[in-house]
Amino acid sequence: MAILSDFNEDQENNNSSSGLSFNGVLDPSNPMGFLESAFNFVSENSDMFKKGSPERKISSLANGLDMENHSWGQSLQEVTINIPVPEGTKSRDVSCEIKMKNLKVGLKGQTPIIEGELFEAVKPNDSYWMMEDQKLISVLLTKCDKMTWWKSLVKGGPEIDTQKAEPEPSKLADLDGETRSAVEKMMFDQRQKQMGLPTSQEIENQEMMKKFMAQNPNFDFSNAKMM
């Protein structure tokens, strides 16, 4: 877990003059993972991804809840939490523990504002918290499963309708064809998983199997299993 409250701005440009290289491996079973890595690398090291870019649009496909003492939202990649605190609060006054399956946030010496088992696992080393304007604790959690919309922040908490967790039509229309196709496929697979139905890849495998069976009627497929 990283804490950005005391980040030294003088270090921001330390690598500005050094050569940059992107090391990524394309896993056919997880193309969006490669896409996210590429987006993150380029956005951190260039001005390519500004407001209105596909990466920004994908990251902003979020929903969540406004609670009495905090609010949270999500994209398929991450969960963001905002917790208002008394003005003048310092980072040293904050207690924040981010674990793979648990979260505990609050002010030292007081009852935690948020405490419980997270709806899904997160990556603690890729998550962080920071103070904003000495009056807001901002927490970012990086999801382990980037194909799942969370129904709640912590288990047992108020739930949202994940069927509504999708981009606005205008947002989706702004994406280029390839990115739009990837997002639409991701959304379709997510709905299918929630309903216990086959994903696009499973449907494709079934169609290929049916075609093969039709082309080879003399084969014995009695023990074949459709995946």
Side-chain angles (χ1 to χ4, degrees):
M1 177 187 69
I3 302 174
L4 302 187
S5 302
D6 301 316
F7 181 76
N8 186 347
E9 294 182 355
D10 293 335
Q11 296 179 352
E12 285 185 323
N13 299 316
N14 279 357
N15 297 322
S16 59
S17 60
S18 61
L20 297 172
S21 61
F22 171 66
N23 296 317
V25 178
L26 176 57
D27 180 355
S29 67
N30 183 26
M32 287 306 296
F34 177 84
L35 186 61
E36 291 161 13
S37 297
F39 277 148
N40 291 337
F41 176 82
V42 177
S43 63
E44 291 173 0
N45 297 287
S46 77
D47 295 327
M48 181 177 293
F49 292 134
K50 295 296 185 181
K51 183 177 181 181
S53 68
E55 190 272 345
R56 293 277 183 180
K57 293 186 178 72
I58 292 175
S59 295
S60 67
L61 312 185
N63 73 337
L65 282 177
D66 288 325
M67 310 293 289
E68 182 178 351
N69 55 7
H70 70 277
S71 62
W72 69 279
Q74 66 178 312
S75 68
L76 280 171
Q77 296 79 27
E78 59 195 29
V79 173
T80 56
I81 308 167
N82 291 317
I83 307 171
V85 291
E87 191 166 355
T89 298
K90 307 290 186 182
S91 59
R92 61 174 176 268
D93 301 322
V94 177
S95 175
C96 182
E97 298 179 8
I98 302 176
K99 298 181 180 179
M100 180 175 288
K101 295 185 178 181
N102 291 275
L103 176 66
K104 182 178 180 180
V105 189
L107 300 178
K108 293 179 180 178
Q110 300 183 24
T111 301
I113 299 172
I114 300 175
E115 182 177 18
E117 181 180 357
L118 294 168
F119 185 77
E120 293 283 355
V122 300
K123 299 179 179 179
N125 291 337
D126 294 331
S127 303
Y128 63 85
W129 68 271
M130 64 183 295
M131 281 296 304
E132 295 186 10
D133 301 324
Q134 297 187 343
K135 60 182 180 181
L136 185 73
I137 302 173
S138 179
V139 182
L140 183 143
L141 306 175
T142 299
K143 295 179 177 179
C144 289
D145 182 354
K146 300 182 185 297
M147 290 291 292
T148 300
W149 294 108
W150 290 17
K151 290 185 178 181
S152 61
L153 178 59
V154 295
K155 292 185 177 180
E159 296 188 353
I160 59 173
D161 182 0
T162 56
Q163 295 296 324
K164 297 179 180 179
E166 58 185 52
E168 299 174 4
S170 59
K171 296 286 187 180
L172 193 59
D174 290 340
L175 300 178
D176 63 80
E178 185 175 355
T179 305
R180 176 174 177 172
S181 296
V183 173
E184 288 177 335
K185 178 180 180 295
M186 197 161 46
M187 291 162 54
F188 173 80
D189 287 344
Q190 175 63 21
R191 294 194 195 98
Q192 292 292 98
K193 287 173 61 179
Q194 290 174 342
M195 294 185 290
L197 299 175
T199 63
S200 56
Q201 184 61 55
E202 292 170 340
I203 293 174
E204 183 178 344
N205 292 344
Q206 291 175 0
E207 292 300 321
M208 291 176 62
M209 186 62 176
K210 291 178 181 178
K211 181 181 293 187
F212 181 78
M213 292 171 65
Q215 294 173 347
N216 298 273
N218 296 325
F219 283 19
D220 182 8
F221 295 101
S222 59
N223 296 320
K225 182 179 180 181
M226 293 287 191
M227 298 298 294

